[in-house]
């Protein structure tokens, strides 16, 4: 029976590979009902009969009856038929309003270009006007760099005119330096700009493709064909010379692309090393600890555990994340009360009354004072309960800051227990990038699966949403309400057809603009990333997959999304003929998609989302608070990188079939480079920095697009001759090898010798160094309740032995160093130069009682 199954699988792979290489030679085709191949069906029937005879006495036959291949095929056909009935027999191509190439392609493409350029010019004019009226959103960074925080002096007006001049904005966007971008935004932003130059460099290398192929395509078509169609590869191309040239072009494109990607990765490694060398304290010496045992969930016990493992002078500070949900609610009440106090003062001043003596102001002052006392009491309660290991306050996540980079490096690579889910160590993100709300309660297995299910539901619900938006943007839907549209359709059919072509692609663009926010919300709710940068990395992966499925591969769903996915899951090699039959006939749609991308880059300059929110918030907030609230999650770096990568994938996939896409992509990346360069340095706030991980992920995704390109050309050229497709099969192995070779670059961390050199040159940590501590816990408590001392004194050796968890190693003879740390101050012990443990003294029981 096992040999029979192996034979079935072998025959499947052989027939599918032969069909992928030479679709014309096969005796089957993709049916919407999921039926099998005729030749293969006969072979499977005989093999399944032998397997049925071998299992007649088995448990499966006793309960379910014999296996019948025809029955399974009929059941699959019934399922897909039911799904088609639910879909209304509407294909995904019809849903997306994707039209096949044909008459009017050239005119429609020109109309898209004219429409995009016209709207982009008007958006540029609007940007110039908005940047003058609202510099806080468009030029605030430049003004702060010049020393103008507010419009209070006469020189501020001249400074505003200087930073909003067109020449200044262009020069700022074009002439960027690595050090400046790293200081303002970080390595992810710099590598995103470098990726755009990488895309332009690849397009320049591939410029030889239209020079070679466009004359060949032009001579293969008749003079009556469209200009756009004459520049594309003819589907029925049967000239051997042209096909051999295409085989050479595919090899050349693949070699040039892979070599360029490898060179980009080599250039990235030293940039990453420089970023790691410049990493400031305490991030460079801190590890994030997940899965802390319940007996160790306090600052003191966590500090004692790591001090016993790595030495007394190795650990500078330990912090266990608290459950501060109640404290956050009280702080929100305090912020509302303070805003109400400001409004009361403004109202009293408007009425001519003295501010402090007004009854409403006095009432608001008392309210603010009472809430501050509640906040102080809640902070004290959290300190006591965390020391007592209260499970409602203490979480299983924390941070351990070491005194040297070497100690942190050694700790991050160690296995501290036998449980794979306990005491997991990883490099800590930036202090201001941590999502403490996600660390309070880590996601369970069920939550993670619910997150995956939610993402799948978004994928499934996307098509109906596109149908709704497409209906709203369809002129046929509005002509019943406005009869004038019907008259325009009859009098100016060309103009109406051009407008419908633009609206068809625009509706897809509009729907794709809302997907990143939904995916980010799902990721933060279920997956709970530990930092902003890790959430952007997750968003990049998901959104790129979304774009590939619903934009690049949507034309392959000729029989509906669900039906095609079911069939491809049953026959994976069928994706090759599906791509070959669909993508070459819809190249105009993808060129229009890239051209409309110019419009999206111009729209980003306007910052429409932050602008609307800022205008709304400033009615009841200060200018600064309104800007901070409006710019929260206003920049999704994962979305930007995924969109740029996808545009490069479209360019590489269609460079041989439709060389015109190279010109459209070159203009897109040039506009995007200018737009993003200006926004990052002048307008947008600093984002979380993953240290270039988004760039590495983008290079891997470009390899995925290159695999799609090779599979497409295997299907297109293999349909005209077995030998043409066979010569392209080795390219799949070359691209796979190039993708795997990216893992050979040692970029995540510095070499050990450089780490030791940095330890010798690094200055000691000071009290001004940031600490890993929740923001709501950082206010000074001593000012409100002087008798409460929140710094923990050193315990005696007996106290340490009593407080040490059972899972900890035997206590060291020396006592742990003092971890004198308040809720706002940092570790006072200097790096490598602190006092010896015996010099710190011991705390009496009286001081211990006074502490908590």
């Amino acid at each position: 029976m096992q040999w029979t199954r192996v034979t079935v699988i072998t025959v499947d792979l052989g027939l599918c590979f032969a069909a992928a290489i030479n679709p014309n030679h096969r005796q089957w085709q993709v049916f919407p009902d999921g039926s099998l191949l005729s030749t293969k069906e006969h072979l499977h029937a005989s093999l399944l009969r032998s397997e049925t005879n071998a299992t007649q006495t088995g448990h499966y036959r006793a309960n379910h009856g014999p296996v019948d291949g025809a029955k399974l095929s009929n059941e699959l056909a019934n399922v897909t038929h039911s799904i088609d009935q639910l879909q209304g027999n509407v294909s995904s191509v019809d849903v997306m309003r994707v039209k096949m190439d044909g008459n009017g392609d050239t005119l429609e493409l020109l109309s898209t270009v004219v429409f995009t350029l016209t709207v982009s010019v008007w958006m540029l004019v609007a940007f110039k006007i908005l940047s003058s009226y609202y510099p806080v959103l468009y030029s605030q960074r430049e003004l702060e760099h010049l020393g103008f925080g507010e419009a209070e002096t006469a020189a501020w007006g001249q400074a505003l005119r200087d930073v909003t001049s067109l020449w200044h904005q262009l020069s700022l966007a074009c002439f960027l330096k690595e050090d400046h971008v790293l200081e303002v935004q970080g390595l992810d932003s710099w590598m995103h700009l470098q990726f755009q130059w990488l895309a332009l460099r690849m397009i320049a290398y591939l410029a030889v493709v239209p020079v070679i192929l466009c004359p060949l395509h032009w001579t293969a078509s008749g003079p009556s064909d469209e200009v756009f169609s004459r520049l594309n590869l003819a589907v029925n191309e049967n000239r051997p010379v042209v096909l051999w040239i295409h085989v050479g072009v595919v090899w050349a494109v693949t070699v040039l692309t892979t070599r360029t990607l490898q060179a980009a990765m080599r250039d990235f490694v030293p940039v990453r090393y420089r970023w790691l060398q410049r990493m400031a304290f305490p991030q460079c010496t801190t590890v994030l600890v997940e899965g802390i045992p319940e007996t160790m969930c306090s600052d003191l016990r966590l500090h004692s555990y790591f001090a016993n493992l790595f030495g007394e002078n190795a650990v500078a500070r330990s912090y266990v994340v608290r459950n501060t949900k109640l404290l956050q609610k009280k702080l929100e009440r305090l912020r509302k009360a303070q805003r109400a106090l400001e409004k009361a003062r403004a109202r009293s001043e408007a009425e001519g009354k003295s501010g402090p003596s007004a009854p409403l102001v006095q009432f608001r002052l008392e309210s603010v004072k009472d809430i501050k006392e509640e906040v102080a009491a809640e902070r004290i309660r959290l300190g006591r309960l965390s020391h007592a290991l209260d499970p409602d306050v203490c979480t299983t996540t924390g941070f351990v800051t070491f005194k040297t980079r070497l100690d942190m490096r050694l700790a991050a690579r160690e296995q501290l227990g036998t449980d794979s889910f306990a005491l997991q160590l990883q490099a800590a993100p930036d202090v201001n990038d941590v999502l403490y709300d996600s660390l309070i309660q880590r996601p369970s297995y069920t939550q993670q699966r619910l997150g995956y299910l939610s993402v799948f539901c978004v994928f499934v619900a996307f098509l109906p949403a596109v149908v709704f938006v497409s209906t709203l943007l369809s002129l046929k839907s509005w002509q019943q309400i406005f009869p004038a549209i019907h008259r325009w359709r009859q009098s100016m059919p060309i103009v109406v057809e051009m407008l419908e072509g633009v609206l068809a692609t625009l509706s897809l663009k509009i729907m794709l603009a809302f997907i990143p926010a939904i995916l980010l919300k799902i990721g933060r709710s279920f997956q709970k990333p530990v930092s902003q940068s890790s959430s952007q990395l997750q968003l990049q992966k998901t959104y790129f997959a979304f774009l590939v499925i619903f934009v690049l591969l949507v034309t392959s769903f000729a029989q509906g999304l669900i039906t095609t996915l079911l069939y491809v899951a049953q026959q994976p090699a069928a994706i090759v003929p599906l791509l070959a039959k669909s993508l070459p006939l819809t190249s105009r749609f993808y060129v229009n998609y890239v051209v409309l991308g110019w419009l999206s880059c111009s729209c980003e300059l306007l910052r429409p989302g932050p602008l609307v929110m800022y205008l709304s918030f400033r009615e009841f907030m200060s200018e600064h608070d309104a800007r901070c609230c409006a710019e929260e999650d206003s920049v999704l770096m994962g979305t930007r990188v995924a969109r740029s990568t996808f545009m490069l994938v479209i360019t590489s996939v269609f460079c041989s079939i439709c060389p015109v896409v190279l010109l459209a992509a070159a203009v897109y990346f040039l506009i995007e480079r200018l737009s993003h360069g200006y926004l990052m340095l002048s307008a947008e706030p600093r984002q979380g920095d993953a240290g270039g991980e988004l760039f590495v992920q983008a290079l891997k995704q470009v390899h995925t697009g290159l695999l799609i390109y090779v599979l497409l050309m295997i299907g297109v050229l293999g349909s005209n001759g077995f030998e043409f497709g066979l010569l392209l099969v080795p390219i799949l192995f070359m691209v796979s090898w190039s993708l795997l070779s990216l893992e050979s670059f040692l970029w995540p961390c510095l070499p050990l010798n450089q780490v030791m050199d940095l330890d010798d040159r690094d200055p000691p940590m000071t009290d001004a160094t940031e600490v890993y501590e929740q923001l709501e816990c950082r206010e000074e408590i001593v000012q409100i309740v002087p008798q409460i001392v929140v710094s923990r004194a050193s315990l005696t050796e007996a106290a340490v032995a009593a407080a040490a968890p059972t899972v900890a190693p035997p206590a060291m003879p020396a006592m742990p160093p003092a971890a004198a740390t308040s809720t706002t101050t940092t570790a006072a012990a200097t790096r490598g130069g602190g006092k010896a443990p015996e010099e710190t003294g011991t705390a009496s029981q009286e001081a211990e009682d006074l502490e908590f």
Side-chain angles (χ1 to χ4, degrees):
M1 183 174 62
Q2 298 296 333
W3 284 106
T4 304
R5 293 178 179 175
V6 172
T7 307
V8 172
I9 296 174
T10 306
V11 172
D12 285 349
L13 293 176
L15 291 176
C16 292
F17 180 76
I21 295 296
N22 191 6
N24 287 340
H25 185 265
R26 67 181 184 270
Q27 300 298 325
W28 57 275
Q29 56 181 343
V30 180
F31 292 104
D33 59 352
S35 58
L36 304 178
L37 312 178
S38 58
T39 304
K40 184 173 136 186
E41 190 176 24
H42 176 72
L43 182 58
H44 275 209
S46 60
L47 292 174
L48 287 172
R49 280 196 300 270
S50 62
E51 182 177 357
T52 303
N53 295 330
T55 58
Q56 285 182 353
T57 59
H59 177 73
Y60 185 86
R61 175 175 173 81
N63 293 277
H64 302 281
V67 179
D68 190 356
K71 182 179 180 180
L72 293 177
S73 300
N74 292 333
E75 290 178 357
L76 179 61
N78 294 332
V79 172
T80 54
H81 179 71
S82 300
I83 293 173
D84 286 340
Q85 292 295 328
L86 292 176
Q87 292 180 337
N89 293 325
V90 178
S91 67
S92 301
V93 178
D94 296 333
V95 169
M96 299 293 187
R97 297 169 62 187
V98 178
K99 297 181 180 179
M100 299 297 178
D101 296 346
N103 296 329
D105 290 346
T106 306
L107 187 60
E108 183 174 341
L109 179 59
L110 291 177
S111 64
T112 305
V113 172
V114 172
F115 171 80
T116 304
L117 292 178
T118 304
V119 178
S120 298
V121 170
W122 282 106
M123 285 187 175
L124 183 61
V125 173
F127 164 72
K128 294 297 298 179
I129 297 175
L130 292 174
S131 61
S132 300
Y133 279 96
Y134 306 105
V136 69
L137 287 179
Y138 299 95
S139 305
Q140 184 65 24
R141 282 189 176 275
E142 287 295 298
L143 292 173
E144 291 176 353
H145 179 70
L146 296 175
F148 297 96
E150 298 179 358
E152 295 180 352
T153 61
W156 185 87
Q158 180 61 36
L160 179 61
R161 286 190 293 271
D162 292 339
V163 298
T164 56
S165 64
L166 182 60
W167 171 250
H168 175 79
Q169 292 170 344
L170 287 177
S171 61
L172 187 66
C174 294
F175 307 106
L176 300 177
K177 295 182 179 180
E178 177 184 344
D179 295 339
H180 190 197
V181 178
L182 291 180
E183 179 184 358
V184 175
Q185 287 292 347
L187 185 57
D188 281 336
S189 299
W190 171 250
M191 295 313 301
H192 174 58
L193 299 175
Q194 293 299 106
F195 182 83
Q196 294 164 356
W197 283 125
L198 171 66
L200 290 172
R201 190 162 61 251
M202 288 178 56
I203 293 173
Y205 293 155
L206 298 180
V208 68
V209 174
V211 175
I212 297 175
L213 297 183
C214 284
L216 297 177
H217 297 168
W218 187 274
T219 57
S221 57
S224 59
D225 295 338
E226 289 280 341
V227 176
F228 180 80
S229 301
R230 298 184 69 177
L231 296 176
N232 295 349
L233 173 64
V235 180
N236 57 351
E237 179 66 61
N238 56 5
R239 294 177 296 175
V241 176
V242 176
L243 296 176
W244 283 115
I245 292 177
H246 267 280
V247 171
V249 168
V250 174
W251 273 94
V253 169
T254 307
V255 172
L256 287 174
T257 304
T258 52
R259 288 178 63 88
T260 306
L261 296 176
Q262 293 291 325
M265 190 65 190
R266 282 193 298 270
D267 295 339
F268 165 72
V269 174
V271 179
R272 167 78 177 190
Y273 284 174
R274 289 194 295 270
W275 178 79
L276 291 173
Q277 292 171 356
R278 297 174 182 175
M279 186 181 293
F281 294 108
Q283 183 183 1
C284 61
T285 59
T286 304
V287 293
L288 171 64
V289 187
E290 295 185 81
I292 302 175
E294 294 183 359
T295 57
M296 204 188 302
C297 293
S298 70
D299 298 349
L300 183 62
R301 294 196 176 192
L302 188 63
H303 183 99
S304 175
Y305 178 80
F306 279 89
N308 290 332
L309 282 178
F310 299 98
E312 299 297 338
N313 291 327
V315 183
R317 187 178 188 273
S318 299
Y319 178 77
V320 175
V321 179
R322 278 85 159 155
N323 186 354
T324 59
K325 296 294 186 181
L326 182 59
L327 178 59
Q328 292 179 16
K329 294 180 180 179
K330 293 182 180 297
L331 288 174
E332 182 62 27
R333 287 180 54 205
L334 178 60
R335 284 189 288 268
K336 291 181 179 179
Q338 290 174 343
R339 288 197 296 266
L341 175 61
E342 295 297 329
K343 290 182 180 179
R345 286 175 176 173
R347 181 181 299 177
S348 62
E349 292 177 359
E351 294 176 355
K353 300 178 182 179
S354 58
S357 61
L360 182 59
V361 174
Q362 288 290 336
F363 175 76
R364 296 301 183 189
L365 283 173
E366 293 293 334
S367 177
V368 169
K369 182 179 178 180
D370 294 341
I371 299 177
K372 282 184 177 181
E373 292 178 357
E374 294 180 10
V375 170
E378 177 62 21
R379 288 197 177 105
I380 298 172
R381 187 185 73 88
L382 289 177
R384 290 174 176 172
L385 294 181
S386 69
H387 182 69
L389 302 180
D390 192 317
D392 294 333
V393 174
C394 301
T395 65
T396 59
T397 309
F399 296 92
V400 178
T401 302
F402 294 87
K403 293 183 178 180
T404 63
R405 297 173 186 255
L406 181 60
D407 292 333
M408 175 267 180
R409 173 77 170 270
L410 297 177
R413 295 192 171 191
E414 289 296 333
Q415 176 183 347
L416 302 184
T418 57
D419 189 357
S420 59
F421 297 99
L423 293 175
Q424 299 177 357
L425 304 183
Q426 59 177 308
D430 186 69
V431 175
N432 301 317
D433 192 33
V434 181
L435 296 175
Y436 286 100
D437 290 341
S438 300
L439 296 179
I440 291 177
Q441 184 178 4
R442 301 304 296 146
S444 62
Y445 179 84
T446 304
Q447 285 180 319
Q448 293 179 355
R449 294 303 178 268
L450 287 176
Y452 298 145
L453 179 61
S454 301
V455 173
F456 176 76
C457 292
V458 172
F459 275 66
V460 173
F462 180 74
L463 287 180
V466 172
V467 172
F468 176 74
V469 176
S470 300
T471 304
L472 293 179
L473 296 179
S474 176
L475 296 180
K476 294 181 180 179
S477 303
W478 289 96
Q479 69 181 6
Q480 299 178 358
I481 304 176
F482 302 100
I485 298 179
H486 181 68
R487 293 194 297 269
W488 293 344
R489 184 183 295 274
Q490 293 179 348
S491 59
M492 298 180 294
I494 298 178
V495 177
V496 174
E497 186 176 354
M498 290 190 306
L499 185 59
E500 286 182 345
V502 173
L503 293 178
T505 311
L506 189 62
S507 62
L508 181 60
K509 282 276 189 179
I510 293 174
M511 286 305 304
L512 289 174
F514 293 96
I515 294 300
I518 299 175
L519 296 178
L520 182 64
K521 183 65 175 179
I522 292 175
R524 289 182 177 177
S525 301
F526 296 98
Q527 306 299 330
K528 294 185 180 298
V530 298
S531 62
Q532 296 277 1
S533 55
S534 59
S535 65
Q536 295 300 319
L537 182 63
Q538 181 181 358
L539 176 62
Q540 179 197 5
K541 298 177 182 178
T542 310
Y543 189 56
F544 177 79
F546 199 92
L547 291 174
V548 169
I549 292 176
F550 286 103
V551 180
L552 182 59
L553 302 181
V554 68
T555 57
S556 301
F557 304 145
Q559 302 299 329
L561 175 62
I562 303 297
T563 305
T564 306
L565 290 180
L566 286 175
Y567 187 82
V568 171
Q570 185 184 7
Q571 300 292 335
I575 190 64
V576 176
L578 284 175
L579 293 175
K581 287 186 176 181
S582 58
L583 290 182
L585 300 177
T586 56
S587 57
R588 173 180 56 96
F589 169 78
Y590 296 99
V591 176
N592 285 339
Y593 184 87
V594 176
V595 171
L596 284 176
W598 310 350
L599 187 61
S600 62
C601 295
S602 303
C603 184
E604 284 190 74
L605 278 175
L606 299 179
R607 305 189 70 191
L611 177 62
V612 173
M613 296 180 67
Y614 169 76
L615 295 177
S616 302
F617 290 152
R618 73 172 185 171
E619 297 297 330
F620 52 89
M621 292 185 183
S622 64
E623 294 280 340
H624 177 72
D625 293 340
R627 179 197 174 195
C628 294
C629 294
E631 289 183 337
E632 185 178 358
D633 289 336
S634 61
V635 181
L636 301 180
M637 185 58 65
T639 304
R640 283 184 174 178
V641 178
R643 190 183 297 119
S644 300
T645 307
F646 179 68
M647 287 297 183
L648 186 57
V649 167
I650 289 181
T651 306
S652 60
V653 168
F654 288 93
C655 63
S656 296
I657 295 177
C658 181
V660 180
V661 73
L662 292 170
L663 179 59
V667 178
Y668 170 82
F669 284 107
L670 184 60
I671 298 176
E672 186 184 50
R673 173 65 173 76
L674 297 176
S675 173
H676 291 176
Y678 175 79
L679 290 175
M680 288 178 180
L681 294 185
S682 293
E684 296 172 347
R686 185 180 178 90
Q687 306 299 313
D689 193 6
E693 292 187 36
L694 297 174
F695 177 77
V696 177
Q697 185 66 33
L699 295 183
K700 296 178 181 179
Q701 291 170 347
V702 174
H703 279 84
T704 304
L706 200 58
L707 287 174
I708 297 176
Y709 165 70
V710 177
L711 290 174
L712 171 64
M713 297 310 296
I714 288 176
V716 172
L717 300 180
S719 62
N720 296 280
F722 181 82
E723 64 279 5
F724 301 111
L726 184 63
L727 290 174
L728 299 180
V729 173
I731 303 181
L732 296 175
F733 299 97
M734 182 176 66
V735 176
S736 302
W737 173 84
S738 177
L739 177 59
L740 294 176
S741 65
L742 294 181
E743 303 294 338
S744 63
F745 290 92
L746 303 178
W747 61 271
C749 56
L750 287 170
L752 189 60
N753 59 339
Q754 295 187 21
V755 173
M756 299 179 68
D757 293 340
L758 289 174
D759 282 336
D760 296 335
R761 299 195 302 266
D762 283 340
M765 289 191 299
T766 63
D767 291 343
T769 306
E770 287 279 355
V771 295
Y772 284 90
E773 191 173 16
Q774 289 158 283
L775 184 63
E776 56 269 20
C777 298
R778 291 187 183 183
E779 187 174 346
E780 185 65 42
I781 304 178
V782 180
Q783 298 178 359
I784 302 175
V785 188
Q787 68 274 15
I788 299 297
V789 181
V790 297
S791 59
R792 295 186 176 87
S794 301
L795 301 178
T796 61
E797 183 176 356
V800 172
T806 57
V807 296
M812 302 290 289
M815 292 174 292
T821 307
S822 66
T823 54
T824 54
T825 59
T826 59
T830 58
R831 176 179 167 276
K835 293 183 178 181
E838 59 271 10
E839 297 177 1
T840 60
T842 59
S844 62
Q845 185 65 32
E846 218 172 81
E848 179 71 12
D849 295 338
L850 183 61
E851 178 183 357
F852 297 100

